[in-house]
Amino acid sequence: MAKLKFPNLDEAVAIDIHTHAEEPCGMHNYEMLEVAAENSDVLIPFVSIDPHKGKLGVREARKLIEEFGVKGFKFHPTMQGFYPNDRMAYPLYEAINDGGAIALFHTGQTGVGSGMPGGMGMRLKYSNPMYMDDVAADFPDLKIILAHPSFPWQEEALSVATHKPNVYIDLSGWSPKYFPPILVRYINSILQDKMLFGSDWPVITPDRWMADFAKLEIRDEIRQKVLKANARKLLDI
Ligand SMILES: [Zn+2]
């Protein structure tokens, strides 16, 4: 891994919201990379770039992959205010695809802006997983993860992940106690090789998630796939 430098990229944050918020939230990509490098036995770096950044963002994505070993990019269509199938974002997907990295999309409702006037301007529609179906069709080699049980579009997410070989689902953000029955049914059957553990710390701690997952009716050999084998295959580790 290249030696870490700290270029003046104040807009690169945990969810990079260059265009739609006055203030960045969370950690700077490079701060996150530093923490990941210090704990490389347990942390695999994913970063965030707002697709509205255009060519600048594309160049930054290629650099993050080539020089810093970044393995994935998280998009939050609702916070970043874009339809995932907007052609504006395609050059960025191309860069991620070329580098063999993963595109992870927030899906479903979000806690951000919830109960605030106008939901703080957050539009839920952008995070419907059906828009990511277009991305999966246009980039058949790009590895895509739909993050979270996708309320209120759970069936859309299951449908996209069933239909497109390059689409996976992570189970973060919800306690398994509240997983809808159809999600559990798909974990136990046709999507058993595409479901991934995730906690969404600090919202849900890994301990709480694991404890509730243990109580879920999941076949033992599938449990192992969700907790480890599927991610290993996807991340090629
Ligand atoms: Zn999310």
Side-chain angles (χ1 to χ4, degrees):
M1 179 176 283
K3 194 170 173 300
L4 288 167
K5 286 173 286 221
F6 290 88
N8 184 24
L9 278 167
D10 57 346
E11 66 272 41
V13 292
I15 296 293
D16 183 25
I17 40 175
H18 183 61
T19 317
H20 286 263
E22 299 87 54
E23 278 181 42
C25 71
M27 273 198 288
H28 194 288
N29 280 342
Y30 286 91
E31 275 177 63
M32 203 281 309
L33 282 170
E34 187 176 45
V35 175
E38 281 165 9
N39 300 278
S40 59
D41 54 334
V42 288
L43 294 182
I44 296 166
F46 276 51
V47 293
S48 176
I49 290 180
D50 188 328
H52 291 102
K53 274 187 188 145
K55 280 188 185 142
L56 202 79
V58 173
R59 215 178 309 138
E60 179 66 8
R62 291 190 188 277
K63 181 175 145 193
L64 285 166
I65 295 168
E66 286 159 21
E67 294 178 29
F68 296 91
V70 161
K71 289 279 191 270
F73 291 77
K74 172 149 185 179
F75 295 96
H76 198 305
T78 294
M79 286 179 75
Q80 293 168 326
F82 77 109
Y83 285 108
N85 63 354
D86 188 331
R87 294 300 184 273
M88 165 275 288
Y90 274 34
L92 185 52
Y93 301 151
E94 227 165 79
I96 296 169
N97 195 23
D98 290 348
I102 293 169
L104 185 153
F105 291 90
H106 172 93
T107 67
Q109 199 179 300
T110 180
V112 180
S114 176
M116 307 287 283
M120 277 166 63
M122 300 284 153
R123 290 160 210 275
L124 300 177
K125 63 182 178 185
Y126 294 127
S127 295
N128 184 331
M130 203 46 84
Y131 297 118
M132 294 141 221
D133 183 63
D134 278 347
V135 181
D138 294 334
F139 294 90
D141 298 322
L142 176 64
K143 294 183 263 186
I144 295 171
I145 300 176
L146 308 178
H148 323 304
S150 310
F151 179 83
W153 304 293
Q154 183 61 76
E155 292 177 21
E156 280 87 337
L158 295 171
S159 166
V160 174
T162 302
H163 193 258
K164 299 292 187 293
N166 52 329
V167 176
Y168 296 74
I169 290 176
D170 90 35
L171 299 168
S172 69
W174 284 48
S175 157
K177 194 160 48 174
Y178 303 115
F179 285 0
I182 192 168
L183 175 59
V184 179
R185 211 152 61 232
Y186 273 70
I187 299 171
N188 265 323
S189 58
I190 49 174
L191 288 180
Q192 60 180 276
D193 295 312
K194 305 181 95 185
M195 293 286 183
L196 308 160
F197 160 78
S199 63
D200 215 18
W201 183 88
V203 179
I204 297 189
T205 64
D207 285 350
R208 177 175 168 213
W209 195 98
M210 295 285 286
D212 290 345
F213 187 60
K215 290 180 206 139
L216 212 58
E217 298 256 344
I218 302 280
R219 303 208 319 263
D220 271 349
E221 69 274 21
I222 294 177
R223 220 169 263 289
Q224 290 318 306
K225 288 183 177 184
V226 173
L227 292 174
K228 192 169 174 186
N230 293 346
R232 267 193 104 140
K233 234 185 285 166
L234 181 62
L235 289 158
D236 203 16
I237 48 174

